Amino acid sequence: MTIIRAGLVGVTGYTGMELTRLLAGHPNMRLVRATSRTEAGRPLSDIYPFLRGLPGGDVVMTAPDPDDLADNCDVAFLAVPHGAAMEMGATLRERGLRVVDLSADFRLRDPDVYEAWYKVPHTRRAELPQAVYGLPELYGDAVKKAALVANPGCYPTATILGLYAALKHGLVETDGIVVDAKSGATGAGRKAAVGTLFCEVSDTFRAYNIGKHRHTPEIEQELSAIAGKSMVVSFNPHLLPVNRGILTTIYARLAKPVSPQDVQAAFEQTWKGARWVRVLPAGQLPETRHVRGTMFCDVGVVTDQRTGRLVILSAIDNLCRGASGQAVANANLMFGLPVETGLMLAPLMP
Amino acid sequence: MTIIRAGLVGVTGYTGMELTRLLAGHPNMRLVRATSRTEAGRPLSDIYPFLRGLPGGDVVMTAPDPDDLADNCDVAFLAVPHGAAMEMGATLRERGLRVVDLSADFRLRDPDVYEAWYKVPHTRRAELPQAVYGLPELYGDAVKKAALVANPGCYPTATILGLYAALKHGLVETDGIVVDAKSGATGAGRKAAVGTLFCEVSDTFRAYNIGKHRHTPEIEQELSAIAGKSMVVSFNPHLLPVNRGILTTIYARLAKPVSPQDVQAAFEQTWKGARWVRVLPAGQLPETRHVRGTMFCDVGVVTDQRTGRLVILSAIDNLCRGASGQAVANANLMFGLPVETGLMLAPLMP
Amino acid sequence: MTIIRAGLVGVTGYTGMELTRLLAGHPNMRLVRATSRTEAGRPLSDIYPFLRGLPGGDVVMTAPDPDDLADNCDVAFLAVPHGAAMEMGATLRERGLRVVDLSADFRLRDPDVYEAWYKVPHTRRAELPQAVYGLPELYGDAVKKAALVANPGCYPTATILGLYAALKHGLVETDGIVVDAKSGATGAGRKAAVGTLFCEVSDTFRAYNIGKHRHTPEIEQELSAIAGKSMVVSFNPHLLPVNRGILTTIYARLAKPVSPQDVQAAFEQTWKGARWVRVLPAGQLPETRHVRGTMFCDVGVVTDQRTGRLVILSAIDNLCRGASGQAVANANLMFGLPVETGLMLAPLMP
Amino acid sequence: MTIIRAGLVGVTGYTGMELTRLLAGHPNMRLVRATSRTEAGRPLSDIYPFLRGLPGGDVVMTAPDPDDLADNCDVAFLAVPHGAAMEMGATLRERGLRVVDLSADFRLRDPDVYEAWYKVPHTRRAELPQAVYGLPELYGDAVKKAALVANPGCYPTATILGLYAALKHGLVETDGIVVDAKSGATGAGRKAAVGTLFCEVSDTFRAYNIGKHRHTPEIEQELSAIAGKSMVVSFNPHLLPVNRGILTTIYARLAKPVSPQDVQAAFEQTWKGARWVRVLPAGQLPETRHVRGTMFCDVGVVTDQRTGRLVILSAIDNLCRGASGQAVANANLMFGLPVETGLMLAPLMP
């Protein structure tokens, strides 16, 4: 049995933490390096006591060192902030590692758009064309041949999978789409900050970055590719007092009169046989907990004839499907493993 | 000092509980009757230990009896399910009590619309024209003269106050409006049910009644009155894992090119001097906790020129502003008290 | 590869739900029957949408029928209330099934003690001596030969594993022990009840059944067996606003002067090589999330020389380790599988 | 009507925030100064949007300046960390202000004990004898004449009020008492820190500082004063995933055979007529939500004859009763107002 040696660059954030969880249960991939400037020298189980006694728990953290990673790993997962991943990703590529970048640095095909939204220069424009957007359902074949995967953002994953069937079947107008998205607090990261303290998030609810979240151009890039024409989307995120989970409620105008049954059938037919996209029966709506800790994307659709609207709801786990699980799926593909290897987890309920 | 004697019909639900809290601190209104078929004979502090030692805590619950209420109360608050309030409200009116009905039974001017959405016959059509829709900011003068007040629903309160300025100033198209609403779990009531157990609501998020919630016709009725033309709205509620609070995110197409500054000014001018509607400074967005336990409605507005949309956010406490506090405000008005009497509470933070 | 056919009697509670989750990922055990009187005829994924697409999700629920279970299953898990399990367990035994009973019906060796605490007659006293108390670390060898396993209670599991090393090494006095236990709300079951509604459990904390919880005699029975003398324990549970997890804080008087280092060493030596009991390094204290969804029992110990007390803390997942996961471990043992088969899950963090 | 001008030194923490909430509703006290080095120049409503439109919301924050405070305030509330309050408190006293210090700096009568537990030198030993320990039920008369009040800690408030009746009546042995305390996360403060992020506190439970929390000597000092002999207590705190609230579960050995009825009577008699200490009827146990946002301390007592133990439970709101509300009560007393002025709030339920 092949064992792929994995290096994790940036282990102290939530996506890094989630990668350690998933790799602890992966039959063909083993965590051999985990980097942290501040925690170098300590075993992982010191900062993550939940890993004690599990594969990976004994890995001693190291400062990030491309040479060391290149010498010891087959694949590197970059769980560092945007901007920081750019150089590290390109460097590790040059050393021959396969790279899955969980940041936004290689997601946008147009570096000018990247710079406009992320406010940092893109210093690795030459590598951009090689990067494959790692949404397995859409780009799985390309990922298999890729050396550098740009792992999709959490909101884009939920939004694209939610809208895909409607766009493919021409059920909705491509203009005027509104995405009202709600995310758990792991999406805000693991940095010390007053705004994400327990007492500032618990028992409350708020929107943020209305109309200007950085995932907007990523969503528009991919929806435009699916629709075959340029799309502008109103994307509006909110912060939920839960740890994990994204629910998107997507509003689109029906392109033509259509029955709820036909809409339901179009969705079911599109995703027939899909491993992780579960189209719910008519009348059921997704819940974030039903996908907790997994790769599932649950999709429900309501044809509201009274208002002429299609309302699509999609739910994912932002950390697993929306980040680290999807990264492992992409690594599976890059190394010729079945995409679901180590990832057919049952949701933790409740 | 006048003391108004209040009777509370239906004390075991969350709106009943909230009324006991508010009346415990009201300087001019005193709880003298609290009805419950199942708990009759016990003092309120038995089922609500938080009331021990506070005004109202010693009130002994009684079975609902119109005669007894008529003999001992000046005003009755009906905190019973729709359908049940209809007869009780009309009966108590006939006995001369002022009545604030927290159910939906007298909110919709057209009883046929009521029957279509609520699936029960309206048996008191004659009383409907007398009922005043108790949103103080819009109908305060009428409430002062009313004998029967239909207390607004929680979602309609948040939605109407959010949209009012935009409609009044003609900033948005009246068709195609989408309301994505999120409510705390007290909105689901205090009946024993598996679906609202702690473990079924905690750490998750879901939508419900997409496109078919009963507050829809109430919202449309009032928005149409404001806009001066018939409006159809896509209203879509979600369940938050918090106790209290509603946040609505309202999407409307801009009717004409307008600067964010002008939109902000229009909102601020509309609500200048308002006691409870707080238009947030440009760039700030409302949070449910900032209005917790109070009558405030916080409104934030974002002019999204990229998508040609106005995004309005409004936050209320669904139990206080969206139900029991608004009921007390209406009773204040009916008895000639300043509307804010006993209701200028500071939010519990955090 | 052997596949063991499992029947689940009582699928609609939280321990039933947890069994469906664990069996969905078990390589050698397959759910073939799931009983529910109210839901018979529907596939499991109808009531548990999280199971859609996973092993077991398609199982059609049936009314409980011993003949059908005997014909189709190798092992039955009884996830029904105490009292109800007694007859069903004995009946299924008579038909030759191996039985793991998650209720309390076969845990107490003395049926009079059972009747005194549970207030129901014990109608299967003859079967009691055959039942093995299924705590794998203590009774694993007996379980391997057992036909009927009494699966331990959640609180007893956490308490016994926490105290075991201290009693074995004679570190503490056996009288005067206080167990202050805190459990997540899944411990309260999935019955519709006002007291466990989200809004009655969220954002609050309370004790219940102080000094009279039914797990007390079970704890005393097992601790007495370990200590070799009769023990009386003060056991006091509390309800946490979390879904899963038990933390016990155990207070015992030091039996003799001892250094913290020696205490730590005694605990580490006792559990050296244990798969699931993780003694934390000196200075670390357990957290419920670190064992979420798993079989781990994390144990921390503080020697408080100032007060002459040993303070032991133990954390488990009440649903997995404290019920369904332990049941699967026992079934593994009964069928000759490694105890950890299908159960080496990494905790969901955060 | 007298208006007392209040200065708040340190407004950005949770006790500062709570003081702004309580002063916004106080009929005789007005917030005129609020200090923050980092936020000086901004109105309070900028950082606390919940205060918009309420008394105090317009106060412009200033850097802490004893001269300015002395010129404009009658009383100063010190809501700064221990160590920092010492000099500020003494300085403001010298300028003639009445001072309520919410930190620990003047709570311990023996400065050597202070230094041993708090690890900072006590530089104002001369002022210590003047400071009055501001627990109104015990020291109300002394507070009336005090110029400097040491506002009690949150855990000591709950513990002392819980144990007072038992010690006064000699019901329990004074040695061997165990206090198992659980607090909401506001108790951990409002500093940016990974350990108190939402995702690190939500859906989990843990102990901290077992046997070595700094409130221990304060508890022992006051219990010893009540009992009339030196007491050593095992005090052990835990962190709850709630915003507000402390529940203590206190274990003590019965000093003599006594009936539950007599114990209950002793507790009720001790607190008869008390405004805020509510002894619950036999069989009821306190919950943190029943005192949320208030000055109440709910006390329940269980006489466990089986184990020879008294189990006392007490619940307070750590921010209101355990800090800022108690501070306002003390200021009320210092200025000759009824102690409950502005503080007879009904709990927010749920």
Side-chain angles (χ1 to χ4, degrees):
Chain A
M1 189 169 66
T2 321
I3 294 293
I4 299 150
R5 300 166 303 158
L8 168 47
V9 181
V11 71
T12 58
Y14 286 124
T15 54
M17 186 191 286
E18 176 77 344
L19 275 161
T20 69
R21 176 180 80 94
L22 294 168
L23 293 178
H26 197 294
N28 300 97
M29 213 174 289
R30 187 153 47 94
L31 185 68
V32 298
R33 284 293 181 279
T35 79
S36 163
R37 287 183 202 285
T38 53
E39 308 290 348
R42 304 173 65 189
L44 263 182
S45 64
D46 245 38
I47 61 163
Y48 292 154
F50 72 95
L51 279 182
R52 184 176 302 277
L54 290 170
D58 291 338
V59 169
V60 174
M61 289 174 278
T62 51
D65 172 354
D67 290 331
D68 177 61
L69 291 163
D71 287 350
N72 292 286
C73 304
D74 302 306
V75 60
F77 296 100
L78 306 186
V80 292
H82 70 86
M86 217 179 284
E87 287 302 318
M88 179 60 91
T91 302
L92 293 176
R93 267 307 302 132
E94 289 159 9
R95 309 281 171 109
L97 267 75
R98 300 247 170 71
V99 172
V100 182
D101 175 18
L102 284 83
S103 88
D105 284 354
F106 296 101
R107 290 181 198 154
L108 297 176
R109 281 171 212 123
D110 182 341
D112 295 340
V113 173
Y114 175 88
E115 295 186 349
W117 285 82
Y118 285 87
K119 317 289 186 199
V120 290
H122 202 298
T123 58
R124 290 293 192 158
R125 292 175 171 235
E127 277 83 358
L128 265 183
Q130 312 165 16
V132 173
Y133 189 74
L135 196 58
E137 284 82 357
L138 273 66
Y139 299 101
D141 288 338
V143 170
K144 287 179 189 171
K145 293 169 280 187
L148 170 59
V149 165
N151 210 57
C154 51
Y155 286 127
T157 297
T159 304
I160 296 162
L161 294 176
L163 268 165
Y164 182 80
L167 292 174
K168 273 292 172 196
H169 287 266
L171 297 173
V172 296
E173 302 288 352
T174 54
D175 71 307
I177 291 178
V178 168
V179 181
D180 189 289
K182 302 88 174 173
S183 173
T186 45
R190 201 161 171 257
K191 284 180 304 295
V194 170
T196 46
L197 292 180
F198 178 83
C199 297
E200 308 288 321
V201 173
S202 165
D203 207 24
T204 190
F205 185 66
R206 58 177 178 265
Y208 65 101
N209 285 348
I210 290 291
K212 55 186 183 187
H213 191 282
R214 286 161 167 173
H215 284 173
T216 306
E218 183 181 340
I219 291 168
E220 290 177 346
Q221 166 182 291
E222 295 303 319
L223 294 185
S224 299
I226 295 165
K229 61 169 140 166
S230 180
M231 286 178 61
V232 172
V233 168
S234 171
F235 174 73
N236 305 286
H238 303 69
L239 178 63
L240 286 171
V242 306
N243 286 346
R244 289 166 175 259
I246 284 177
L247 187 86
T248 67
T249 313
I250 305 172
Y251 301 96
R253 297 196 317 286
L254 287 167
K256 56 195 172 194
V258 61
S259 75
Q261 291 73 22
D262 287 350
V263 168
Q264 180 74 23
F267 272 66
E268 290 181 0
Q269 179 255 310
T270 300
W271 294 111
K272 193 175 163 66
R275 187 174 286 101
W276 288 317
V277 179
R278 304 190 289 197
V279 177
L280 303 186
Q284 279 193 20
L285 300 176
E287 291 191 43
T288 58
R289 63 178 181 156
H290 289 160
V291 299
R292 184 160 42 212
T294 77
M295 287 294 288
F296 290 116
C297 175
D298 281 3
V299 176
V301 59
V302 177
T303 306
D304 185 358
Q305 291 173 313
R306 206 182 70 89
T307 63
R309 267 206 174 59
L310 203 65
V311 184
I312 306 166
L313 299 107
S314 65
I316 64 165
D317 182 308
N318 60 302
L319 273 192
C320 188
R321 178 58 192 244
S324 308
Q326 193 144 264
V328 172
N330 283 317
N332 284 342
L333 290 172
M334 292 165 100
F335 286 90
L337 296 171
V339 66
E340 73 273 18
T341 311
L343 294 172
M344 286 312 290
L345 306 166
L348 190 76
M349 273 287 293
Chain B
M1 189 167 70
T2 322
I3 294 292
I4 299 151
R5 299 166 304 159
L8 168 46
V9 182
V11 70
T12 56
Y14 287 124
T15 55
M17 186 191 284
E18 176 77 344
L19 275 161
T20 69
R21 176 181 80 95
L22 294 168
L23 293 178
H26 197 294
N28 301 97
M29 213 174 290
R30 188 153 47 94
L31 186 68
V32 298
R33 285 293 181 279
T35 80
S36 164
R37 287 183 203 285
T38 53
E39 307 290 349
R42 303 173 65 191
L44 264 182
S45 63
D46 245 38
I47 62 163
Y48 292 156
F50 72 94
L51 278 183
R52 185 176 301 277
L54 289 170
D58 291 338
V59 169
V60 174
M61 289 175 278
T62 52
D65 173 352
D67 290 331
D68 178 61
L69 290 163
D71 287 350
N72 291 286
C73 303
D74 302 306
V75 61
F77 295 101
L78 307 186
V80 292
H82 70 88
M86 217 178 284
E87 286 303 317
M88 179 58 92
T91 301
L92 293 176
R93 266 310 300 135
E94 289 159 9
R95 310 280 170 110
L97 267 75
R98 300 247 171 70
V99 172
V100 181
D101 175 17
L102 284 83
S103 89
D105 284 354
F106 295 101
R107 290 182 197 154
L108 297 176
R109 277 169 215 125
D110 182 341
D112 294 340
V113 174
Y114 175 89
E115 296 185 350
W117 285 82
Y118 285 87
K119 316 287 185 202
V120 291
H122 202 298
T123 59
R124 290 292 191 159
R125 292 176 171 233
E127 277 82 0
L128 264 184
Q130 311 165 19
V132 173
Y133 188 75
L135 197 58
E137 283 82 357
L138 274 65
Y139 298 101
D141 288 338
V143 170
K144 287 179 188 171
K145 292 170 280 185
L148 171 59
V149 165
N151 211 56
C154 51
Y155 286 127
T157 297
T159 304
I160 296 163
L161 293 175
L163 268 165
Y164 182 79
L167 292 174
K168 272 293 172 195
H169 286 266
L171 297 173
V172 295
E173 302 290 351
T174 53
D175 71 306
I177 291 178
V178 169
V179 181
D180 189 290
K182 302 89 175 174
S183 173
T186 46
R190 199 159 172 260
K191 284 180 304 293
V194 169
T196 46
L197 291 180
F198 178 83
C199 297
E200 307 289 321
V201 173
S202 166
D203 208 24
T204 190
F205 185 67
R206 59 177 178 267
Y208 66 101
N209 285 349
I210 289 291
K212 57 185 182 187
H213 192 281
R214 286 161 167 173
H215 283 173
T216 306
E218 183 182 340
I219 291 169
E220 291 178 346
Q221 167 183 289
E222 296 302 319
L223 294 185
S224 298
I226 295 166
K229 62 169 140 169
S230 179
M231 286 178 61
V232 172
V233 168
S234 170
F235 174 74
N236 305 286
H238 302 70
L239 179 63
L240 286 170
V242 305
N243 287 345
R244 289 165 175 258
I246 284 177
L247 187 85
T248 68
T249 313
I250 305 171
Y251 301 95
R253 298 198 316 286
L254 287 167
K256 56 195 173 193
V258 61
S259 74
Q261 291 74 23
D262 287 349
V263 167
Q264 180 74 21
F267 272 66
E268 291 183 359
Q269 178 255 310
T270 299
W271 294 111
K272 193 177 164 65
R275 187 173 288 101
W276 287 317
V277 180
R278 302 190 290 196
V279 177
L280 302 186
Q284 281 194 17
L285 299 176
E287 292 190 44
T288 59
R289 62 179 181 155
H290 289 159
V291 300
R292 185 159 42 210
T294 76
M295 287 292 288
F296 290 115
C297 176
D298 282 2
V299 177
V301 60
V302 176
T303 306
D304 185 357
Q305 291 173 314
R306 205 181 70 89
T307 63
R309 266 204 176 60
L310 203 65
V311 185
I312 305 168
L313 299 109
S314 65
I316 64 165
D317 183 306
N318 60 303
L319 273 192
C320 188
R321 178 58 192 245
S324 308
Q326 193 143 265
V328 172
N330 283 318
N332 285 342
L333 289 172
M334 292 166 100
F335 286 90
L337 295 171
V339 66
E340 74 273 18
T341 311
L343 294 172
M344 286 311 292
L345 305 166
L348 191 75
M349 275 287 294
Chain C
M1 190 169 67
T2 320
I3 294 293
I4 299 151
R5 299 166 304 158
L8 168 46
V9 182
V11 70
T12 58
Y14 286 124
T15 54
M17 186 191 285
E18 177 76 345
L19 275 161
T20 69
R21 176 180 81 93
L22 293 169
L23 293 178
H26 197 294
N28 299 97
M29 212 174 289
R30 188 152 47 94
L31 185 68
V32 298
R33 284 293 181 277
T35 80
S36 163
R37 286 183 203 285
T38 53
E39 308 289 348
R42 303 173 65 190
L44 263 182
S45 63
D46 246 36
I47 63 162
Y48 292 155
F50 72 94
L51 279 182
R52 185 176 300 277
L54 290 169
D58 291 337
V59 169
V60 174
M61 289 174 279
T62 52
D65 172 353
D67 290 330
D68 178 61
L69 291 162
D71 287 350
N72 292 286
C73 303
D74 303 306
V75 61
F77 295 101
L78 306 186
V80 293
H82 70 88
M86 218 178 284
E87 287 303 317
M88 178 60 91
T91 302
L92 293 176
R93 266 308 300 134
E94 289 158 10
R95 310 280 171 111
L97 268 73
R98 301 248 171 69
V99 172
V100 182
D101 175 17
L102 285 81
S103 89
D105 284 354
F106 295 101
R107 291 180 197 156
L108 297 175
R109 279 169 215 126
D110 182 340
D112 295 339
V113 173
Y114 175 88
E115 295 186 351
W117 285 83
Y118 285 87
K119 318 287 187 201
V120 292
H122 202 297
T123 58
R124 290 292 192 159
R125 292 175 172 234
E127 277 83 357
L128 265 183
Q130 312 165 17
V132 173
Y133 189 74
L135 197 58
E137 283 82 356
L138 273 65
Y139 298 102
D141 288 337
V143 169
K144 288 179 189 170
K145 293 170 279 186
L148 170 59
V149 166
N151 211 56
C154 51
Y155 286 127
T157 298
T159 304
I160 296 162
L161 294 176
L163 268 165
Y164 182 79
L167 292 174
K168 273 290 171 198
H169 287 265
L171 298 172
V172 295
E173 302 289 352
T174 54
D175 70 308
I177 291 179
V178 168
V179 181
D180 189 290
K182 302 88 175 173
S183 172
T186 46
R190 199 160 171 257
K191 286 179 303 294
V194 169
T196 45
L197 291 180
F198 178 83
C199 297
E200 308 289 321
V201 173
S202 166
D203 207 23
T204 190
F205 184 67
R206 58 175 177 268
Y208 66 101
N209 285 349
I210 289 291
K212 55 186 183 187
H213 192 282
R214 285 162 167 172
H215 284 172
T216 305
E218 183 180 341
I219 290 169
E220 291 177 346
Q221 166 182 289
E222 295 303 319
L223 294 185
S224 299
I226 295 165
K229 62 169 139 168
S230 179
M231 285 179 61
V232 172
V233 169
S234 170
F235 174 73
N236 305 285
H238 303 70
L239 178 63
L240 286 171
V242 307
N243 287 345
R244 289 167 176 257
I246 284 178
L247 187 86
T248 68
T249 313
I250 305 172
Y251 301 95
R253 295 196 319 285
L254 288 166
K256 54 194 174 196
V258 62
S259 74
Q261 290 73 23
D262 287 349
V263 169
Q264 180 74 23
F267 272 66
E268 291 182 0
Q269 178 255 311
T270 299
W271 294 111
K272 193 175 162 67
R275 187 173 287 101
W276 287 318
V277 179
R278 304 190 288 197
V279 176
L280 303 186
Q284 280 194 20
L285 300 175
E287 292 191 42
T288 58
R289 62 178 182 156
H290 290 160
V291 300
R292 184 159 41 211
T294 76
M295 287 294 288
F296 291 116
C297 175
D298 281 2
V299 177
V301 60
V302 176
T303 306
D304 184 357
Q305 292 173 312
R306 206 181 69 89
T307 63
R309 268 207 173 59
L310 203 64
V311 185
I312 305 167
L313 299 107
S314 65
I316 64 165
D317 183 306
N318 60 302
L319 274 191
C320 188
R321 178 58 193 243
S324 309
Q326 194 144 264
V328 172
N330 283 318
N332 285 342
L333 290 172
M334 291 165 101
F335 286 90
L337 295 172
V339 66
E340 72 273 18
T341 312
L343 294 172
M344 286 311 289
L345 306 166
L348 190 75
M349 274 285 297
Chain D
M1 190 167 69
T2 322
I3 295 293
I4 299 151
R5 299 166 304 159
L8 168 47
V9 181
V11 70
T12 56
Y14 286 124
T15 54
M17 186 192 283
E18 176 77 344
L19 275 161
T20 69
R21 176 181 81 94
L22 294 169
L23 293 178
H26 196 295
N28 300 99
M29 214 174 289
R30 189 154 45 94
L31 185 68
V32 298
R33 284 292 181 280
T35 79
S36 163
R37 286 182 203 286
T38 53
E39 307 291 347
R42 302 173 67 190
L44 263 182
S45 63
D46 246 37
I47 63 164
Y48 292 155
F50 71 94
L51 278 183
R52 185 175 300 278
L54 290 169
D58 291 338
V59 168
V60 174
M61 289 173 279
T62 51
D65 172 354
D67 290 331
D68 177 61
L69 291 163
D71 288 350
N72 292 286
C73 303
D74 301 307
V75 60
F77 296 101
L78 307 187
V80 292
H82 71 87
M86 217 178 285
E87 288 302 318
M88 179 59 91
T91 302
L92 292 176
R93 267 308 300 134
E94 288 158 10
R95 310 278 171 113
L97 267 74
R98 301 248 170 68
V99 171
V100 182
D101 176 17
L102 285 84
S103 89
D105 284 353
F106 295 100
R107 291 181 197 155
L108 297 176
R109 278 169 214 126
D110 182 342
D112 294 340
V113 173
Y114 175 89
E115 295 186 350
W117 285 82
Y118 285 88
K119 317 288 185 199
V120 291
H122 201 298
T123 58
R124 291 292 193 158
R125 292 175 171 234
E127 277 83 359
L128 264 183
Q130 311 165 18
V132 173
Y133 189 74
L135 196 59
E137 284 81 357
L138 274 65
Y139 298 102
D141 288 338
V143 170
K144 286 179 189 171
K145 293 170 279 187
L148 171 59
V149 166
N151 210 57
C154 51
Y155 285 126
T157 297
T159 304
I160 297 163
L161 294 176
L163 268 166
Y164 182 79
L167 292 174
K168 273 291 172 197
H169 287 266
L171 298 172
V172 295
E173 301 289 352
T174 54
D175 70 306
I177 291 179
V178 168
V179 181
D180 189 290
K182 303 87 175 174
S183 172
T186 46
R190 200 160 172 257
K191 285 179 304 295
V194 169
T196 47
L197 291 181
F198 178 83
C199 298
E200 306 289 321
V201 173
S202 167
D203 208 24
T204 190
F205 185 67
R206 60 177 177 265
Y208 66 102
N209 285 348
I210 290 290
K212 55 185 184 187
H213 192 280
R214 286 162 168 174
H215 284 174
T216 305
E218 182 181 342
I219 291 169
E220 291 177 345
Q221 166 182 290
E222 296 302 320
L223 294 184
S224 299
I226 295 166
K229 62 168 138 167
S230 180
M231 286 179 61
V232 172
V233 169
S234 171
F235 175 74
N236 306 285
H238 302 70
L239 178 63
L240 286 171
V242 307
N243 287 343
R244 289 166 175 257
I246 284 177
L247 187 85
T248 67
T249 312
I250 304 172
Y251 301 95
R253 297 197 316 287
L254 288 167
K256 54 193 174 197
V258 62
S259 75
Q261 292 72 25
D262 287 349
V263 168
Q264 180 73 24
F267 272 67
E268 291 182 359
Q269 178 255 312
T270 300
W271 294 111
K272 193 175 162 66
R275 189 173 285 100
W276 288 316
V277 180
R278 304 189 290 196
V279 176
L280 302 186
Q284 280 194 19
L285 299 176
E287 293 191 43
T288 58
R289 61 179 184 155
H290 289 160
V291 300
R292 183 158 44 209
T294 77
M295 287 293 289
F296 290 116
C297 175
D298 282 3
V299 176
V301 60
V302 176
T303 306
D304 185 357
Q305 291 172 313
R306 205 182 70 90
T307 63
R309 268 206 174 60
L310 204 64
V311 185
I312 306 167
L313 300 107
S314 65
I316 64 165
D317 182 307
N318 61 303
L319 273 192
C320 187
R321 178 58 194 244
S324 308
Q326 193 143 268
V328 172
N330 283 317
N332 284 343
L333 290 171
M334 292 166 101
F335 287 91
L337 296 171
V339 66
E340 73 273 19
T341 311
L343 294 172
M344 285 311 291
L345 305 166
L348 190 76
M349 274 286 295

